[in-house]
Amino acid sequence: MLTVVREQLGQALFRRVAGPDGPATRARIHDTPGPRWFEPDRPIRTVHGDASMFIGGLSALLLQSLHPLAMAAVAGHSGYRGDPWGRLQRTSTFLAVTTYGTADDAQRAVDHVRRIHERIRGTTAEGTPYHAADPHLLGWVHAAETDSFLRAHERFGARPLDAAGYDGYVADTARVAEALGAIDPPRDRRELSERLTAYRHELSATSEARAAARFLLFQPPLPLAVRPFYGGLAANAVALLPPWARGMLRLPRVPVVENLAVRPTGQALTRTIRWAMTPPRQSRPA
């Protein structure tokens, strides 16, 4: 009975994250022979294959929204409200292909995203122009994402890395960022922290950013029965944010509650996701 529950839960989670073509895509990514961008022992494979990515991904979206130009591009072109699961599935597929797929497949995925970015341009409500292919804007999106995934893995990962391992993770992600068009992305954790600090003066919690936060945290497109579990992930995504980012988004911090309830809930949920999505005799990342 437990095995059946495990399989059903794992399949349901995988369908949400990977979409209807998930099994075929997974087979192509992992079973196609050829050189990869990253060898099996690279830190990026450890981090991106862990259930902590569920929390890290939510936290990354909240942090990324604080750049007005990035948020304007998302609000105007991504369809995150009308097709949130489609956006999640496309993002997760891109991460899987570039992390685990063949070098040729990874390059095709990057080229596809670059073509999309090239078409996305416009102006904010204040009249400031934006272009998704702008290397400076790509640098912010990359730094916010990398920091969020790293923080989540450090806190909730099954096998947290040491300092050198997390420096290696930042260096690995820099390869993907450069392929997408970012210029001189950070190569270690110190540089990553410095880069985030350098962007601080550009950030603000626009009305679009606060609307995105409300949607992600309180209006997820999920059945009511599932929302308490999602709420646990969302609470931990908020707790993972740097204090200054939480303040900008007006998301309160209650240290005692977070230490006694929120973080243990995150640990339990990530363990459950990991258990469900790693069935017996399955060794490759889901």
Side-chain angles (χ1 to χ4, degrees):
M1 185 64 181
L2 188 61
T3 300
V4 172
V5 171
R6 184 180 194 172
E7 291 178 352
Q8 290 179 345
L9 178 58
Q11 290 170 4
L13 287 169
F14 184 70
R15 282 195 301 271
R16 283 291 191 184
V17 174
D21 297 327
T25 301
R26 178 169 57 184
R28 187 191 82 239
I29 291 171
H30 295 286
D31 296 342
T32 303
R36 264 72 177 162
W37 280 1
F38 305 104
E39 295 298 322
D41 62 345
R42 290 306 304 168
I44 193 172
R45 285 179 164 242
T46 300
V47 174
H48 289 179
D50 191 84
S52 60
M53 291 286 284
F54 281 79
I55 294 175
L58 278 171
S59 192
L61 293 174
L62 292 169
L63 185 57
Q64 289 168 343
S65 75
L66 288 173
H67 197 295
L69 302 185
M71 189 62 239
V74 168
H77 301 272
S78 77
Y80 77 93
R81 286 182 177 273
D83 185 25
W85 294 113
R87 184 171 186 242
L88 170 64
Q89 290 154 11
R90 291 188 292 273
T91 301
S92 67
T93 298
F94 177 82
L95 287 169
V97 170
T98 52
T99 303
Y100 306 105
T102 65
D104 288 344
D105 210 6
Q107 188 61 55
R108 281 191 291 269
V110 164
D111 291 343
H112 176 69
V113 171
R114 291 193 71 151
R115 287 192 295 270
I116 294 173
H117 284 171
E118 191 59 41
R119 298 195 300 265
I120 296 176
R121 58 180 76 225
T123 57
T124 67
E126 292 74 28
T128 305
Y130 63 80
H131 185 197
D134 174 9
H136 184 71
L137 198 56
L138 289 169
W140 161 253
V141 172
H142 167 70
E145 178 181 272
T146 300
D147 185 69
S148 298
F149 289 162
L150 190 158
R151 286 171 177 264
H153 190 269
E154 189 175 43
R155 183 171 296 183
F156 300 108
R159 297 182 300 278
L161 304 176
D162 58 15
Y166 284 123
D167 281 345
Y169 172 67
V170 178
D172 288 346
T173 63
R175 178 173 185 175
V176 182
E178 280 190 319
L180 285 169
I183 295 175
D184 190 27
R187 256 77 181 182
D188 59 35
R189 197 168 188 180
R190 178 186 60 80
E191 291 184 2
L192 177 61
S193 177
E194 291 173 351
R195 192 64 53 86
L196 288 170
T197 299
Y199 277 99
R200 287 276 300 274
H201 73 282
E202 302 176 30
L203 308 181
S204 65
T206 62
S207 59
E208 292 171 326
R210 291 193 294 272
R214 286 194 300 272
F215 178 78
L216 288 169
L217 299 176
F218 306 117
Q219 301 165 346
L222 289 167
L224 289 176
V226 181
R227 289 195 180 189
F229 301 98
Y230 177 88
L233 296 176
N236 278 279
V238 170
L240 207 63
L241 287 169
W244 53 265
R246 293 180 64 165
M248 293 176 72
L249 287 169
R250 302 174 188 171
L251 299 172
R253 183 170 186 266
V254 185
V256 174
V257 174
E258 289 182 6
N259 292 334
L260 295 179
V262 175
R263 186 177 295 194
T265 298
Q267 292 166 341
L269 287 170
T270 48
R271 282 197 298 266
T272 301
I273 293 169
R274 194 176 296 121
W275 170 77
M277 298 191 72
T278 311
R281 295 185 300 279
Q282 178 178 320
S283 58
R284 67 188 180 195

